[in-house]
Amino acid sequence: MSQSIHILPPVVANQIAAGEVVERPASIVKELVENALDAGARHISVETDQGGVRRILVRDDGAGIDEADLPRAFARHATSKIQAVEDLFVVASLGFRGEALASIASVARVEISSRTERMRMGHTMAMAGGEVLFDRPVAHPRGTTVDVQELFFNTPARRKFLKSERSEILAIDTVMRRLILAEPEVGFELFQGASRLQVPAGDMNARLSRILGSDFLASHVTVDERRGPLRLHGWVALPTHSRAQADHQFFFVNRRVVRDKVVGHAVRQAYRDVLFGGRHPVFVLYLDLPPEQVDVNVHPTKHEVRFREARDVHDFIFGTLNRVLRDVRPGESPAAWVPSSGVSMAVADGLPAASPPSAPVQSRISLTGGGARVPTAWSPPRVEEPAAPVPVSRDPAATPPMGYAIAQLHGVYLLAQNAEGLVLVDIHAAHERVVYERMKRQRLHDGLQTQRLLVPVQVAVSEQEADVAEAHAGTLADMGLVITRSGPQRLTVREVPLSLTGGDVLALVRDVLAELLAFGQSTLVEERQLELLATMACHGSVRANRPMTLAELNALLRDMEVTENAGQCNHGRPTYRTFNMDELDRLFLRGR
Ligand code: ADP
Ligand code: MG
């Protein structure tokens, strides 16, 4: 049975559009708060009832809407933010599609009250199911109040898709946290039943600790980097502050919350070397770039973006974070470190810069920086054992940052004394890090070693993948993968990195090609090799419970001072902690 073609009534068209824009109450909160931000609000308050299903009330002190404009605010494709499609590429506002209010008003009862600077009295207008209910003057301060009630009252089928009240409340909370971090200069309030979240304008530390927990403040590094028109700034947690879920990750592109795979990939790669075992990094990062370099009109909810120079963006993010993360090392106090309170990692305590130790231990394991050969596995140095611990002065300039060993605790921990107080080291974890970094340097020094396969491996791939392999043959060879095309959908692998010959070459090649296809570059080979090194380092490190001499312990401390990433082991756990004298005094309620 065929029916004649007819134009859908506006309310139905809006309800269909609402399917994309209004997925759940949290999406309404997002759209309304973004409108308030676009209107220049300095303070925004959000209240919800029953997870937003019964009511969402958003108040702002922004520019307001003129009485004559009110009906248009409700109309589809009605916006004050752009004129022509070219404007999309210079859009500075969060909204521009002009469909949020129309969509919301088609699936809920909506009342908007507003007053602009030049209106003597406010005006209010209510709509439900596409019909105007009333339109009249009202007393209202400058700004706008949007009151949304009974979501999906006229589309019961969609109502059934709503989750429990609890989970809608959580979703709204999540949306608000993102917006709060996106706009540090705006004050926010969120009331959901008994729960309230309030942040004053400006105080970024309060926001960070409210949203990421107070320990974030003690264990993060500040990032601020520019390259050409790109700027990346914000805060990244130390790998030791990682989480089991990816729930504390905030990335903003031109102040817009986005989930972008180029960005996600770059961040993951930067952390890969310091974070294993399914741990997720914590970060709040802002990428700013000229609006014409990013297309924001990719998705109705504007969660996705498209970069014009995706590869540059990827490189910039990865390069910046990678450098920042490896700059963390004991004995240094980068200006970026925020002083912490209480017991914390030494790096966060702002230890003085490393000064050359006065060589109390004659022979220390030499870590060759200049590319000389170093042993791949650590063996204890044979030295003259000092009879007693080296005396330590309280002058930071006269003592190495990690101090000198006093004793070994049950074979597991190293106790040392530095100018500030006590240093406690997890011997195995610290040693693993030292060995791993040494093996990496060794690898750099030796260069890439490859193995020519006696029997080349044939790989069946898609035509697109074969094209990529051909186009990137040089890059692949640099990674140690010599691959030639042997058919439209066929590749022949002739040479692989020596260290990876034991693994699944087919799977590796496929993954590398997939990465090249998606991001124009791949660091998978490197990653696999590092993973392998990490496993070797773990096995090659001092096991707990082995008694060590003071000289060996001191040698480990010296090694830690010169090792990159020494603050955490290969599994993202901390390798050491410090307790300065003040902290110890406090522990014993000792007033000084
Ligand atoms: P968009 O934000 O994409 O323009 P919306 O449907 O969200 O579309 O809003 C339509 C128009 O209503 C906006 O362009 C703006 O002019 C006006 N508007 C909506 N909310 C507010 C507000 N809180 N303050 C001032 N103007 C608003
Ligand atoms: Mg909008």
Side-chain angles (χ1 to χ4, degrees), residues 170-184:
L170 274 177
I172 290 170
D173 200 69
T174 304
V175 159
M176 285 298 289
R177 279 160 196 262
R178 293 190 188 125
L179 291 161
I180 285 172
L181 289 176
E183 297 288 343

Side-chain angles (χ1 to χ4, degrees), residues 67-129:
E67 179 184 340
D69 275 344
L70 256 186
R72 276 194 288 271
F74 280 108
R76 184 135 174 253
H77 305 309
T79 179
S80 55
K81 299 170 193 173
I82 60 166
Q83 303 286 340
V85 73
E86 301 82 62
D87 295 350
L88 280 181
F89 293 92
V90 290
V91 70
S93 57
L94 295 164
F96 51 81
R97 299 175 61 104
E99 57 187 2
L101 288 180
S103 301
I104 297 166
S106 72
V107 293
R109 302 180 203 278
V110 180
E111 185 178 335
I112 303 184
S113 314
S114 193
R115 186 167 73 78
T116 60
E117 198 59 67
R118 49 159 220 91
M119 287 161 70
R120 301 224 346 268
M121 179 94 190
H123 203 86
T124 185
M125 186 170 167
M127 289 192 79

